[in-house]
Amino acid sequence: MPNRMLSELADLVDIIQVNPEGADRNVAESFVSRIVDERSVAAVYSSIQSLCAQNMAQRGGFDRIALRKHLTEQGIKLEAQKEFSSDITILQRHSGETSQNLKQYGAIVGDDGGQISIVRDCQAPIAGALISGAVLITGEPGAGKSGVLSGIASNLRSAGRDVVELAVDSFSVETLEGLQRELGLQHSLVEVLENWDGQEDGWLIVDALDATRGGAGEAVFKRLIEDVLVAEGRWKVVASIRSFDLQMGVQFRELFRGKPPVKTLSDERFPNVRHVHVPTWSTEELSRLTSQTTRLKTAIETAPAKLQELALVPFNTKLIAELIYSSADDINFKSVKSQSELLSFYWSKKVSAHGLAAEASVKDVLALMLDSRALRAKTFDLDLATISSLEVLVKEGVFTSAEDRRWVQFRHHLLFDYAISRTFLYPEHLHLGEHFKKENSLGLMLAPAVSFSLENLWQKENSHQNFWRSSIALLSNSEIDPIIRSSIARICAEFPETAGDMDAIGGFLAGTEERSITLSAIR
């Protein structure tokens, strides 16, 4: 049996004898000349001899990828392998398109309709952090993570680095093979990166990991990032995710395990994660931005303190600027005291202004998104009436379309969250928890929208009775998704500001053991 195994093994092995100084050298040099500049042939040959001698001494070996890596580290420029060159071109083209799409997140509309932007103060420290390895970009919704990431990608390209830029919300995939097909690659993305030669680090940039919202795509991008990190090749990873989703995502915390590289830009909730926390505008940053647009500057400076505070969130600044630009008259923001009210104001101007048909079309799109557990929907799965209204909302900037209009998605995830709260989570029925059951597995997808619905209830009456009634009902219901319950408990701790805000809950909870347990959960 051992002899048979050895014989079968020998059938798989070919031994080729090469005389490095004889006639074989001419053949080898002729072959090498096909993939490098003629002036580099001798250097390549010498480098290969050196690598072979080193491996013979160590009783080791190497494969094609290791050989190409060795040569590029010696400063030898190799032509892209023919079987991977078309895939590399596809990734470069896709990354360029993604870069153009993400640039919008770092800019606002100016007085003349043009886009204006500034370089965020956090970008230089982040660039410094990249030198030491992979980084996760975190921050609250609307803080400007995508804009910062786009700026980082642009700087890396300007420095001559190879960059592959992916926006998670532009894919609807369940496997890495599905990602390969959507990109139109002949080989897997990881294979292409492994065979993409370069003397310096390349960067895989993944925007909006939270866009998967717990769907099947989450495992795909986790696996992609893990494969690239484990390979320990020249490709490094920088990705963005909302702080809320990182709290829920144990695996992402593990993938980016390490100490925060920038102490002044870290979130104390993640002491063992290599992350950089993107803050909202500093007053200096906002001042630099508004100095380029007179109307926005005037609107913010003359607004109540609450709106000035809201304007420090880049996403809110963008909404305010768009509302100002699209209105022929001055807009009165004096009644706006929260992000929910700002979004309501935006909704009234951009969606409700086009009638119930427009709002109904939003609900139809959301239904497809919830059904597929994704933040985008297939345009041609919608009926003709919905598509007609949808085109109006794309022009208004509420939605964006992609891939020859085959897909549609909200231009920002916060708009998705608010739209869910407007069209699915009716405040008066919130306590029923119709969409929140564990078996629906929609916790990550709906939790941010619940915040908007509860905020609506909180603001409707001074006693906050309906807010507390709905919150208690949901927190006491063991069938409700635990992510939803956790989010509600946090909201219940954040909203009260005075002792009077708690009067209603005191009345509801007095005297029963079950409700006392609920009170403990809220605290």
Side-chain angles (χ1 to χ4, degrees):
M1 183 64 73
N3 289 336
R4 181 182 173 185
M5 289 178 62
L6 288 173
S7 177
E8 291 176 350
L9 180 61
D11 288 339
L12 302 175
V13 178
D14 285 325
I15 298 175
I16 301 173
Q17 290 184 324
V18 177
N19 181 354
E21 299 302 332
D24 293 330
R25 176 167 188 145
N26 294 331
V27 176
E29 288 185 346
S30 174
F31 175 79
V32 169
S33 66
R34 301 175 193 171
I35 59 173
V36 299
D37 185 279
E38 277 191 26
R39 291 167 295 182
S40 303
V41 171
V44 171
Y45 195 83
S46 175
S47 184
I48 292 174
Q49 277 188 302
S50 173
L51 181 62
C52 288
Q54 177 185 333
N55 276 272
M56 287 173 65
Q58 297 174 351
R59 297 294 191 270
F62 54 86
D63 59 13
R64 180 180 60 179
I65 293 175
L67 173 59
R68 293 181 71 92
K69 182 174 183 291
H70 171 78
L71 293 174
T72 54
E73 287 174 348
Q74 303 303 308
I76 297 167
K77 185 174 178 59
L78 303 175
E79 289 185 10
Q81 300 172 71
K82 288 185 179 179
E83 62 181 298
F84 290 98
S85 60
S86 62
D87 282 348
I88 291 172
T89 300
I90 288 171
L91 283 180
Q92 289 173 326
R93 183 171 62 247
H94 178 86
S95 296
E97 292 169 355
T98 301
S99 178
Q100 288 300 314
N101 291 335
L102 292 183
K103 279 182 180 178
Q104 63 166 310
Y105 294 107
I108 66 169
V109 63
D111 293 340
D112 61 356
Q115 296 294 302
I116 60 175
S117 62
I118 62 167
V119 176
R120 296 293 303 270
D121 292 342
C122 61
Q123 281 191 210
I126 293 174
L130 296 183
I131 296 173
S132 57
V135 175
L136 198 56
I137 307 297
T138 68
E140 299 308 315
K145 299 181 293 299
S146 294
V148 168
L149 207 55
S150 175
I152 291 170
S154 178
N155 291 340
L156 287 169
R157 285 195 184 91
S158 298
R161 299 299 178 89
D162 292 319
V163 175
V164 171
E165 206 166 346
L166 304 176
V168 173
D169 57 6
S170 66
F171 298 99
S172 296
V173 295
E174 299 184 359
T175 63
L176 282 172
E177 291 75 19
L179 179 61
Q180 176 185 331
R181 285 192 298 272
E182 284 213 16
L183 285 167
L185 303 176
Q186 296 176 24
H187 305 83
S188 75
L189 179 52
V190 174
E191 278 187 289
V192 179
L193 296 180
E194 286 178 343
N195 289 277
W196 186 337
D197 302 315
Q199 296 180 35
E200 297 183 291
D201 289 340
W203 284 94
L204 173 64
I205 295 181
V206 185
D207 181 57
L209 286 171
D210 47 88
T212 61
R213 296 288 176 98
E218 182 174 301
V220 175
F221 287 95
K222 280 178 183 173
R223 175 68 184 278
L224 172 64
I225 291 171
E226 182 177 17
D227 286 350
V228 173
L229 293 177
V230 168
E232 295 184 344
R234 77 180 186 99
W235 288 88
K236 304 296 184 288
V237 179
V238 57
S240 69
I241 189 171
R242 295 182 309 177
S243 300
F244 172 81
D245 294 85
L246 185 57
Q247 280 185 289
M248 299 295 170
V250 176
Q251 289 177 298
F252 284 129
R253 297 202 299 271
E254 288 295 326
L255 284 175
F256 290 86
R257 176 167 286 278
K259 296 299 179 184
V262 184
K263 193 171 183 180
T264 55
L265 293 172
S266 63
D267 187 327
E268 62 183 12
R269 292 172 291 181
F270 312 118
N272 297 311
V273 179
R274 261 188 68 83
H275 75 282
V276 178
H277 183 80
V278 174
T280 54
W281 300 120
S282 66
T283 52
E284 292 78 11
E285 285 178 321
L286 184 58
S287 178
R288 293 205 306 270
L289 185 75
T290 56
S291 67
Q292 303 176 65
T293 164
T294 304
R295 294 184 68 189
L296 178 63
K297 179 181 177 68
T298 302
I300 292 176
E301 289 180 348
T302 58
K306 282 288 186 181
L307 185 66
Q308 291 183 7
E309 185 179 330
L310 285 171
L312 289 173
V313 177
F315 172 73
N316 295 342
T317 316
K318 193 175 182 70
L319 290 190
I320 294 169
E322 288 180 11
L323 288 168
I324 291 171
Y325 177 73
S326 62
S327 176
D329 305 314
D330 290 335
I331 295 183
N332 186 353
F333 291 103
K334 291 183 179 178
S335 62
V336 177
K337 301 181 181 64
S338 67
Q339 187 173 58
S340 179
E341 290 179 345
L342 176 60
L343 284 165
S344 177
F345 194 75
Y346 177 87
W347 187 274
S348 69
K349 299 291 184 181
K350 300 290 188 177
V351 182
S352 300
H354 299 288
L356 285 174
E359 297 195 75
S361 71
V362 171
K363 186 167 185 177
D364 289 343
V365 173
L366 287 169
L368 286 181
M369 292 177 174
L370 292 176
D371 187 56
S372 62
R373 306 294 195 273
L375 296 191
R376 68 174 190 163
K378 290 182 179 179
T379 307
F380 301 115
D381 282 351
L382 299 163
D383 61 43
L384 190 59
T386 298
I387 292 174
S388 179
S389 293
L390 199 59
E391 288 187 311
V392 174
L393 297 179
V394 168
K395 289 178 181 178
E396 287 283 12
V398 177
F399 287 105
T400 61
S401 58
E403 297 181 31
D404 294 326
R405 303 198 295 177
R406 289 188 296 120
W407 294 90
V408 65
Q409 62 195 68
F410 286 92
R411 48 84 67 87
H412 194 281
H413 302 161
L414 273 171
L415 286 176
F416 167 86
D417 298 329
Y418 182 74
I420 287 283
S421 74
R422 284 282 302 224
T423 60
F424 275 88
L425 308 183
Y426 300 118
E428 58 270 24
H429 299 148
L430 196 64
H431 64 282
L432 299 176
E434 179 185 352
H435 302 284
F436 305 150
K437 303 297 184 182
K438 291 177 184 176
E439 59 265 27
N440 294 340
S441 301
L442 289 171
L444 278 173
M445 202 163 191
L446 296 181
V450 174
S451 298
F452 286 123
S453 292
L454 285 176
E455 185 176 348
N456 184 299
L457 281 177
W458 180 267
Q459 294 169 347
K460 273 189 173 180
E461 50 188 12
N462 292 331
S463 67
H464 312 304
Q465 284 198 7
N466 286 318
F467 168 87
W468 289 117
R469 183 181 289 110
S470 294
S471 298
I472 291 169
L474 293 170
L475 287 168
S476 302
N477 188 345
S478 60
E479 294 183 3
I480 298 298
D481 190 300
I483 295 175
I484 297 290
R485 295 172 75 193
S486 173
S487 182
I488 293 170
R490 175 183 55 79
I491 292 166
C492 289
E494 290 178 354
F495 279 12
E497 294 181 351
T498 67
D501 289 338
M502 301 293 290
D503 287 345
I505 192 175
F508 285 131
L509 299 178
T512 69
E513 181 179 350
E514 180 182 1
R515 287 176 178 174
S516 295
I517 293 173
T518 302
L519 180 57
S520 298
I522 292 173
R523 288 174 178 166

